[in-house]
Amino acid sequence: MAPSSKSKGAAVKEMEKSDDINDVPSFSVENIQHNMKIVYYCRTFLSIVAGSIAGVLGLTALSGFLCYFVIMLLASLGLAAKTKFDVHSFFDSWHRVVFDGVSQEFMSFVLFWSFAYDIVHIF
Amino acid sequence: MANDLVLDTAIRDWVLVPLSLVMVLIGVLRHFVSKALQSSPTPDPKAFKESQVVIRARYLRGAANYIPLKAFRMRRTYYNNEENGLLHVPKGQAQNMQAQMFSDPNMAMDMMKKNLSMIVPQTLTFAWVNFFFSGFVTAKIPFPLTQRFRAMLQNGIDLSSVDVSYVSSRSWYFLNLFGLRGLFSLILGEENATDDTQRLMQTQMAMQMGGLGADPAKALGAEKDGLDLIQHDWVLPKIEQKAEVVLRQFLDH
């Protein structure tokens, strides 16, 4: 089932990756994958919510896309805050937290945006 | 002017919502059907042993830099040496395995089942959409597109003066197809059957590689070459000094 206990409302459980060698950073792959799953799950949820918001507000064209990126940015900030801004001890690079999953969830955003927009404004 | 067409509420009630609902339900159905139809293959013990050996060799490759050079070399010889190394496959046996792979029907059946369970519902739904819901404007997408998209998005509508944002049901179907993937991963959990077909195929092939004789000789050979190629670079050269420092700290407290 979906990791419901790890939703963004409740405590997001993220695990440390072991970083015990001073010369060579070593990663615990399972923990990184687990953290990435959490990021992905948050983004999926938020893209649906963002689509509904954009549709209900009646945003069109550029402002709608802007809404998506703003919400994704807020998500990244939230995730970074959850790691107490020490992103490197939870992920292998900060690109993951900010950029990963944004383009994958874009289609879901467009779908729910169109859906909400049509239901509220056209019909 | 960008006229706002007033669309019938009935379209919303009877086209948009049912289409999305049907696609979600079909996706859920497909997920459970593919779970129910999953045949648990009884693995061949010999092939399974080989796949486990390959996995062990892979671990050695990954962690080679954390053990001293001699230990690594000892392990590598264990896998690679010519007489009884685990990864060494004499030429005669290699041919046998090839023949075995082709006569194994399990893999073909599994792939066909996976293929069917993906393609058939999509085709059926598409045909249904085309048959019932063609020839009228279905929805308005909130962003403007250029005229070139008109042919793609408005293929049932024959007026050319209508804004490109007003799309037909076919494009709503495709929008749903791509957009509901995220929703499925939320409600069905990870590893659901509606993910990309390609990715599923890849992971399936990789996992069943050892258990089905799909080129085990090649896998062993590849691991052997990989092991041979490794340059050992020990990353823990001062580990004894560091351990001494830590132990002293413990003893001093």
Side-chain angles (χ1 to χ4, degrees):
Chain A
M1 237 352 244
S4 54
S5 65
K6 303 186 184 94
S7 69
K8 56 184 175 54
V12 174
K13 210 170 52 151
E14 299 191 4
M15 304 202 246
E16 286 271 353
K17 61 170 172 52
S18 61
D19 203 353
D20 46 9
I21 312 292
N22 291 337
D23 307 322
V24 170
S26 60
F27 306 111
S28 152
V29 180
E30 309 177 6
N31 289 350
I32 287 189
Q33 278 180 347
H34 178 261
N35 295 345
M36 291 312 300
K37 249 195 267 185
I38 292 181
V39 170
Y40 192 65
Y41 181 73
C42 287
R43 286 205 194 279
T44 308
F45 202 74
L46 275 179
S47 74
I48 293 181
V49 168
S52 313
I53 290 179
V56 167
L57 288 180
L59 302 175
T60 60
L62 212 53
S63 46
F65 291 123
L66 209 59
C67 170
Y68 178 63
F69 286 118
V70 162
I71 291 196
M72 284 296 130
L73 216 59
L74 285 180
S76 308
L77 279 180
L79 285 166
K82 184 71 190 177
T83 67
K84 301 184 179 45
F85 290 106
D86 182 18
V87 179
H88 282 288
S89 64
F90 288 100
F91 297 95
D92 47 354
S93 79
W94 61 276
H95 294 287
R96 305 271 191 188
V97 170
V98 179
F99 292 127
D100 199 36
V102 173
S103 43
Q104 284 170 308
E105 305 308 330
F106 187 62
M107 286 311 298
S108 300
F109 166 74
V110 169
L111 171 67
F112 280 92
W113 183 20
S114 310
F115 198 51
Y117 183 79
D118 284 340
I119 288 188
V120 172
H121 289 274
I122 303 291
F123 293 111
Chain B
M1 73 155 189
N3 45 1
D4 284 346
L5 291 180
V6 174
L7 297 174
D8 196 355
T9 315
I11 297 184
R12 173 190 63 184
D13 292 342
W14 295 101
V15 176
L16 275 194
V17 171
L19 191 52
S20 300
L21 208 60
V22 162
M23 290 187 73
V24 168
L25 290 178
I26 286 189
V28 171
L29 186 71
R30 197 164 58 178
H31 170 64
F32 286 121
V33 161
S34 72
K35 264 212 186 144
L37 284 184
Q38 228 175 27
S39 60
S40 54
T42 53
D44 173 29
K46 180 165 178 297
F48 198 68
K49 260 201 264 185
E50 278 165 5
S51 75
Q52 297 291 59
V53 163
V54 165
I55 291 177
R56 275 170 68 189
R58 221 175 273 164
Y59 281 149
L60 176 64
R61 256 207 293 173
N65 291 334
Y66 294 104
I67 50 178
L69 185 59
K70 275 215 192 105
F72 172 67
R73 285 229 191 107
M74 171 186 85
R75 286 171 175 82
R76 186 166 64 182
T77 324
Y78 177 63
Y79 285 113
N80 280 2
N81 70 3
E82 297 292 309
E83 296 113 37
N84 53 2
L86 292 181
L87 292 181
H88 180 66
V89 176
K91 284 294 166 63
Q93 280 185 9
Q95 306 304 329
N96 260 349
M97 291 182 198
Q98 282 279 7
Q100 218 177 21
M101 167 181 83
F102 286 120
S103 66
D104 193 358
N106 251 351
M107 179 99 159
M109 271 308 294
D110 270 342
M111 280 186 59
M112 218 176 60
K113 263 190 253 179
K114 282 266 159 16
N115 262 330
L116 281 185
S117 75
M118 295 289 162
I119 305 288
V120 164
Q122 281 185 11
T123 318
L124 282 181
T125 314
F126 190 55
W128 176 67
V129 165
N130 266 344
F131 180 63
F132 281 109
F133 299 129
S134 57
F136 57 90
V137 169
T138 299
K140 178 179 196 289
I141 50 180
F143 45 91
L145 292 171
T146 61
Q147 297 296 321
R148 274 184 295 163
F149 286 100
R150 181 183 290 275
M152 189 168 71
L153 296 176
Q154 281 190 346
N155 45 24
I157 307 163
D158 293 326
L159 301 172
S160 55
S161 61
V162 174
D163 225 350
V164 188
S165 303
Y166 291 95
V167 298
S168 68
S169 335
R170 215 183 276 189
S171 50
W172 180 248
Y173 169 74
F174 282 118
L175 198 60
N176 267 295
L177 193 63
F178 292 123
L180 285 176
R181 269 192 245 155
L183 190 66
F184 283 139
S185 76
L186 280 187
I187 54 183
L188 295 177
E190 304 292 337
E191 314 285 342
N192 57 44
T194 54
D195 277 347
D196 279 331
T197 318
Q198 314 311 78
R199 206 166 63 199
L200 204 58
M201 291 301 160
Q202 298 296 350
T203 48
Q204 204 71 353
M205 306 257 324
M207 279 192 311
Q208 291 185 341
M209 193 170 64
L212 267 166
D215 282 350
K218 289 241 184 73
L220 294 181
E223 279 304 317
K224 181 163 177 251
D225 292 337
L227 266 185
D228 279 335
L229 282 175
I230 288 203
Q231 304 282 348
H232 183 262
D233 185 20
W234 199 22
V235 298
L236 307 174
K238 302 234 176 33
I239 197 65
E240 288 161 346
Q241 280 86 339
K242 284 193 198 152
E244 181 195 340
V245 165
V246 170
L247 282 175
R248 277 195 195 283
Q249 280 181 342
F250 276 127
L251 287 178
D252 286 339
H253 282 295

Short mmCIF file of all heavy atoms in Angstrom, two decimals, chain A residues 56-79:
data_model
loop_
_atom_site.label_atom_id
_atom_site.label_comp_id
_atom_site.label_asym_id
_atom_site.label_seq_id
_atom_site.Cartn_x
_atom_site.Cartn_y
_atom_site.Cartn_z
N VAL A 56 -9.27 25.62 -10.05
CA VAL A 56 -10.35 26.31 -9.34
C VAL A 56 -10.15 27.82 -9.40
O VAL A 56 -11.10 28.59 -9.54
CB VAL A 56 -10.42 25.81 -7.89
CG1 VAL A 56 -11.29 26.69 -7.06
CG2 VAL A 56 -10.93 24.39 -7.87
N LEU A 57 -8.91 28.25 -9.30
CA LEU A 57 -8.65 29.68 -9.36
C LEU A 57 -8.82 30.24 -10.75
O LEU A 57 -8.82 31.46 -10.92
CB LEU A 57 -7.23 29.98 -8.90
CG LEU A 57 -6.97 29.83 -7.42
CD1 LEU A 57 -5.53 30.16 -7.12
CD2 LEU A 57 -7.88 30.76 -6.65
N GLY A 58 -8.92 29.39 -11.75
CA GLY A 58 -9.12 29.89 -13.09
C GLY A 58 -7.86 30.43 -13.72
O GLY A 58 -7.91 31.27 -14.61
N LEU A 59 -6.74 29.94 -13.31
CA LEU A 59 -5.50 30.40 -13.91
C LEU A 59 -5.36 29.82 -15.29
O LEU A 59 -5.69 28.67 -15.52
CB LEU A 59 -4.31 29.93 -13.07
CG LEU A 59 -4.32 30.36 -11.62
CD1 LEU A 59 -3.16 29.71 -10.91
CD2 LEU A 59 -4.19 31.85 -11.54
N THR A 60 -4.90 30.63 -16.19
CA THR A 60 -4.70 30.11 -17.54
C THR A 60 -3.25 30.30 -17.94
O THR A 60 -2.55 31.13 -17.42
CB THR A 60 -5.56 30.85 -18.57
OG1 THR A 60 -5.19 32.21 -18.54
CG2 THR A 60 -7.01 30.70 -18.23
N ALA A 61 -2.85 29.50 -18.90
CA ALA A 61 -1.55 29.63 -19.56
C ALA A 61 -0.43 29.83 -18.57
O ALA A 61 -0.17 29.02 -17.71
CB ALA A 61 -1.62 30.74 -20.59
N LEU A 62 0.23 30.97 -18.69
CA LEU A 62 1.49 31.14 -17.97
C LEU A 62 1.32 31.11 -16.47
O LEU A 62 2.13 30.53 -15.74
CB LEU A 62 2.12 32.46 -18.39
CG LEU A 62 3.64 32.44 -18.37
CD1 LEU A 62 4.13 31.27 -19.18
CD2 LEU A 62 4.16 33.72 -18.93
N SER A 63 0.23 31.73 -15.99
CA SER A 63 0.07 31.78 -14.54
C SER A 63 -0.17 30.40 -13.97
O SER A 63 0.22 30.10 -12.84
CB SER A 63 -1.04 32.73 -14.15
OG SER A 63 -2.16 32.51 -14.97
N GLY A 64 -0.77 29.52 -14.78
CA GLY A 64 -0.96 28.17 -14.30
C GLY A 64 0.36 27.43 -14.16
O GLY A 64 0.62 26.77 -13.14
N PHE A 65 1.22 27.55 -15.17
CA PHE A 65 2.52 26.90 -15.07
C PHE A 65 3.32 27.47 -13.93
O PHE A 65 4.03 26.76 -13.22
CB PHE A 65 3.30 27.08 -16.38
CG PHE A 65 2.71 26.31 -17.51
CD1 PHE A 65 2.33 26.97 -18.67
CD2 PHE A 65 2.53 24.96 -17.43
CE1 PHE A 65 1.78 26.27 -19.72
CE2 PHE A 65 1.98 24.26 -18.48
CZ PHE A 65 1.61 24.91 -19.62
N LEU A 66 3.17 28.79 -13.76
CA LEU A 66 3.89 29.43 -12.66
C LEU A 66 3.44 28.85 -11.33
O LEU A 66 4.26 28.59 -10.44
CB LEU A 66 3.60 30.93 -12.71
CG LEU A 66 4.71 31.80 -12.17
CD1 LEU A 66 5.96 31.55 -12.97
CD2 LEU A 66 4.30 33.25 -12.27
N CYS A 67 2.13 28.65 -11.20
CA CYS A 67 1.60 28.07 -9.98
C CYS A 67 2.23 26.71 -9.71
O CYS A 67 2.64 26.40 -8.59
CB CYS A 67 0.08 27.94 -10.11
SG CYS A 67 -0.70 27.00 -8.81
N TYR A 68 2.36 25.89 -10.78
CA TYR A 68 2.96 24.58 -10.60
C TYR A 68 4.38 24.69 -10.08
O TYR A 68 4.78 24.01 -9.13
CB TYR A 68 2.94 23.83 -11.93
CG TYR A 68 3.58 22.48 -11.88
CD1 TYR A 68 3.07 21.48 -11.07
CD2 TYR A 68 4.69 22.19 -12.65
CE1 TYR A 68 3.65 20.24 -11.03
CE2 TYR A 68 5.27 20.94 -12.61
CZ TYR A 68 4.75 19.98 -11.81
OH TYR A 68 5.32 18.74 -11.76
N PHE A 69 5.16 25.56 -10.70
CA PHE A 69 6.56 25.64 -10.28
C PHE A 69 6.70 26.24 -8.90
O PHE A 69 7.58 25.83 -8.14
CB PHE A 69 7.37 26.42 -11.32
CG PHE A 69 7.60 25.62 -12.56
CD1 PHE A 69 7.11 26.04 -13.77
CD2 PHE A 69 8.27 24.42 -12.50
CE1 PHE A 69 7.30 25.29 -14.90
CE2 PHE A 69 8.46 23.66 -13.63
CZ PHE A 69 7.98 24.09 -14.82
N VAL A 70 5.82 27.18 -8.57
CA VAL A 70 5.88 27.74 -7.22
C VAL A 70 5.59 26.67 -6.18
O VAL A 70 6.29 26.56 -5.17
CB VAL A 70 4.88 28.92 -7.10
CG1 VAL A 70 4.59 29.23 -5.65
CG2 VAL A 70 5.44 30.13 -7.80
N ILE A 71 4.57 25.86 -6.47
CA ILE A 71 4.24 24.83 -5.49
C ILE A 71 5.35 23.79 -5.40
O ILE A 71 5.68 23.29 -4.32
CB ILE A 71 2.88 24.21 -5.81
CG1 ILE A 71 1.81 25.25 -5.54
CG2 ILE A 71 2.64 22.97 -5.00
CD1 ILE A 71 0.42 24.73 -5.45
N MET A 72 5.97 23.46 -6.51
CA MET A 72 7.08 22.52 -6.46
C MET A 72 8.23 23.09 -5.66
O MET A 72 8.92 22.39 -4.90
CB MET A 72 7.56 22.18 -7.88
CG MET A 72 6.65 21.24 -8.60
SD MET A 72 6.59 19.63 -7.81
CE MET A 72 4.86 19.38 -7.69
N LEU A 73 8.44 24.39 -5.82
CA LEU A 73 9.52 25.03 -5.07
C LEU A 73 9.23 25.00 -3.58
O LEU A 73 10.10 24.74 -2.76
CB LEU A 73 9.65 26.48 -5.54
CG LEU A 73 11.08 27.00 -5.59
CD1 LEU A 73 11.88 26.14 -6.52
CD2 LEU A 73 11.07 28.43 -6.09
N LEU A 74 7.95 25.27 -3.24
CA LEU A 74 7.58 25.19 -1.83
C LEU A 74 7.80 23.78 -1.29
O LEU A 74 8.23 23.60 -0.15
CB LEU A 74 6.11 25.58 -1.65
CG LEU A 74 5.81 27.06 -1.77
CD1 LEU A 74 4.33 27.30 -1.58
CD2 LEU A 74 6.58 27.82 -0.71
N ALA A 75 7.50 22.80 -2.13
CA ALA A 75 7.74 21.42 -1.72
C ALA A 75 9.21 21.17 -1.44
O ALA A 75 9.59 20.55 -0.45
CB ALA A 75 7.25 20.45 -2.79
N SER A 76 10.07 21.70 -2.34
CA SER A 76 11.49 21.51 -2.14
C SER A 76 11.95 22.18 -0.86
O SER A 76 12.74 21.62 -0.09
CB SER A 76 12.28 22.09 -3.30
OG SER A 76 11.80 21.60 -4.50
N LEU A 77 11.41 23.38 -0.61
CA LEU A 77 11.78 24.07 0.62
C LEU A 77 11.34 23.29 1.84
O LEU A 77 12.08 23.17 2.82
CB LEU A 77 11.15 25.46 0.65
CG LEU A 77 11.89 26.51 -0.15
CD1 LEU A 77 11.18 27.84 -0.03
CD2 LEU A 77 13.31 26.64 0.38
N GLY A 78 10.12 22.75 1.75
CA GLY A 78 9.62 21.97 2.88
C GLY A 78 10.49 20.76 3.15
O GLY A 78 10.80 20.44 4.29
N LEU A 79 10.88 20.07 2.06
CA LEU A 79 11.73 18.89 2.24
C LEU A 79 13.08 19.28 2.80
O LEU A 79 13.63 18.60 3.67
CB LEU A 79 11.89 18.17 0.90
CG LEU A 79 10.68 17.40 0.46
CD1 LEU A 79 10.81 17.03 -0.99
CD2 LEU A 79 10.53 16.15 1.28
#
